[in-house]
Amino acid sequence: MEEKIKKALEILATLDENTPPGHYEVSPDIYYNVEEFETDFEQNRRFESHRKHVDIQCVLQGEELIFVEDAEKLEVEEELPPERDVAFYRGTGIGKRNMLKGGDYLALYPGEAHKPGVCVEAPRRVKKAVFKITVE
């Protein structure tokens, strides 16, 4: 796992606000998406977690808050089919608050529910890369 994370971080170091949005395959166990979207208020976002993947979320441009909480402390709202590897949870005003600005990243492991895309003060455009690394 360490080697996979190291590889993802090496690639992440080459990305910036000029990286085109899209889906990028690195290996059978690593891929990432570069996306642009509008952040939103915390009450409009949901917690999510994964069982088979580590997420590394990196803001390339703009800023966002990501709340993190133990998934076992939350109520499951929706669980997608196993091949999608994501469950969504209810909950607002809880979890550790992490503010990410351009160049900052946060690694999220299975069981760590996270609520990304939360605005800092008001909704605004953000560009980020989200790496997915398969857990062995």
Side-chain angles (χ1 to χ4, degrees):
M1 179 54 89
E2 248 179 66
E3 287 302 312
K4 292 180 196 177
I5 291 173
K6 183 179 174 185
K7 178 68 175 168
L9 293 176
E10 287 171 358
I11 294 167
L12 190 149
T14 69
L15 306 180
D16 63 20
E17 67 275 359
N18 297 313
T19 303
H23 177 80
Y24 300 85
E25 293 283 338
V26 176
S27 72
D29 292 331
I30 304 169
Y31 70 88
Y32 65 98
N33 295 310
V34 175
E35 50 198 34
E36 294 181 86
F37 62 93
E38 188 90 5
T39 58
D40 201 354
F41 295 102
E42 194 250 345
Q43 66 268 21
N44 298 329
R45 305 293 299 175
R46 297 192 293 179
F47 278 101
E48 62 184 68
S49 74
H50 313 285
R51 291 189 176 135
K52 300 177 193 171
H53 293 93
V54 170
D55 270 13
I56 299 178
Q57 301 205 11
C58 177
V59 171
L60 302 175
Q61 186 174 37
E63 60 186 16
E64 76 171 321
L65 292 173
I66 299 177
F67 289 79
V68 180
E69 181 60 86
D70 181 348
E72 292 185 6
K73 294 180 179 180
L74 300 172
E75 180 185 348
V76 174
E77 181 177 64
E78 178 184 12
E79 190 156 2
L80 297 184
E83 63 273 8
R84 296 285 309 275
D85 189 37
V86 65
F88 295 101
Y89 303 83
R90 290 181 175 83
T92 56
I94 55 174
K96 182 177 182 216
R97 179 181 150 144
N98 300 274
M99 186 164 100
L100 278 65
K101 295 183 178 185
D104 294 340
Y105 67 89
L106 181 64
L108 300 149
Y109 289 81
E112 288 185 306
H114 46 286
K115 185 188 289 191
V118 177
C119 62
V120 175
E121 291 179 10
R124 64 183 282 194
R125 201 98 182 118
V126 67
K127 186 174 194 177
K128 71 188 288 186
V130 178
F131 282 78
K132 299 283 189 181
I133 303 166
T134 304
V135 175
E136 297 155 351

